[in-house]
Amino acid sequence: MKQRINPNVAGRGKSPTLGTNELSAAMEAEGREVFRFGFGESPFPVPDVVAEALRQNAHQKSYLPVQGLPELRDAVAQFHGRREGLSFTGEQVMIGPGSKELMFLLQLCLDAEVLVPTPCWVSYVPHGEILGRPVRLIHTTSDERWLLSAERLAEEAPDATPRLLILNYPGNPQGTTYSEEELQALADVAREKNIIIMSDEIYGELHHDGAHQSLVRYYPEGTIISSGLSKWCGAGGWRLGTFVFPEELSWLREAMCSVASETYSTVSAPIQYAAVSAYSGGEEMESYLSASRRIIKAAGNWAAHRLNEAGVAVHHPEGAFYLFLDFSTMAPAIAQMGIETSSVLCEKLLEDTGVVLLSGEAFSRPPEELTARLAYVTFDGSEALEAADGSVDNSFLEKYCPKVVEGVDRLTKWAEALSG
Ligand SMILES: Cc1ncc(COP(=O)(O)O)c(C=O)c1O
């Protein structure tokens, strides 16, 4: 046959996070103790009120509008409006089967160069590559807390070429986020350079102090807020993502809806009806979120502290459930072991300690940089939530997050042995 695969897709493996998850599962099946810090899924259950809403709506069987259930779009608009002190309408909202799909559609519909600060979540760059878009990586540094500065943005967007900037905060994999001043400065440059920003705020509700602020406050006309149920509502498998567009970009929303209508059509009806309850807020949602935040804040800070003490450079997290570890502090000793890339380093760590990390390379960092992501979510979230009434201290972590504690201990011992 003369048919061949699209060269943009040929040779592509699976998303690296899924690969790591499978590898960890296979090792566990062989009876080896494995600390699965590679895959970043919420450890918490779907809140009861939301699960009950799904049960109540199991009978919903009809196709819904491509853009999403109007009631849900209104609830999403109000949710973001409440959080940012702004006013959005349901017309500005688009519901998709996960924010990942919406992001893909965005890159498909927009004819623009894509700017991606790194380290970055694993799928932005493959989206651009699959679609044949020009993608420009902007490597940030540990001194910048792995975040994009306004100065760098100005340098990387020297002319009036149409551009899409992807910003993710609190960030996966770095766990850090932008201050008000940093957002304002980025907004000023974006406005001057006419850059559209896709603001990936999927971890916004998991800011450890509940203090997330969106860039939309400073750049309302050019910011698309991306979010969804996957992280703060423990519902990754429900596949529900949301985009909130500025009025100025309604042409882009319409283009995306047009492609959606020819591809996935609409998100599953029961899921959309159930999601209304998640976005409507209320006491149960608030206490669920507050307990989730206290647990991940305590676990993340404890782990960052231990690793820093052992000589691994890592920033204390401000949101989400990841740490981005930098082993370059011990580069000479690592080089002596014949290790030259982050991927080989992660293999060695897995072999020596049973800890699975995802290499910096997966987050578009240079392969030879000794960085890796640690996701501290290997615990029973239901049990931990029930117990999190009081303070979440070290003894809480030992009791409810024992795998996190032991895995981090093993890593620190490995690093300490190396530092001599
Ligand atoms: C930073 C970031 N953005 C987007 C997503 C995609 O989320 P979903 O497609 O489940 O909405 C993820 C999931 O891991 C993520 O970590």
Side-chain angles (χ1 to χ4, degrees), residues 94-105 121 127 200 202 226-230 235-243 256 264 266-268 271-272:
M94 180 174 178
I95 309 294
S99 59
K100 193 188 239 184
E101 181 65 22
L102 291 175
M103 291 171 190
F104 184 74
L105 285 191
W121 177 54
H127 285 176
D200 182 353
I202 196 139
S226 173
S227 190
L229 288 187
S230 299
W238 285 27
R239 308 309 301 130
L240 188 129
T242 61
F243 263 21
M256 285 174 57
Y264 63 79
T266 174
V267 173
S268 145
I271 296 291
Q272 292 203 55

Side-chain angles (χ1 to χ4, degrees), residues 162-182:
R163 292 190 171 92
L164 169 72
L165 168 67
I166 298 182
L167 273 193
N168 168 222
Y169 56 100
N172 174 6
Q174 64 275 59
T176 51
T177 194
Y178 294 95
S179 67
E180 265 176 66
E181 295 71 33
E182 288 165 335

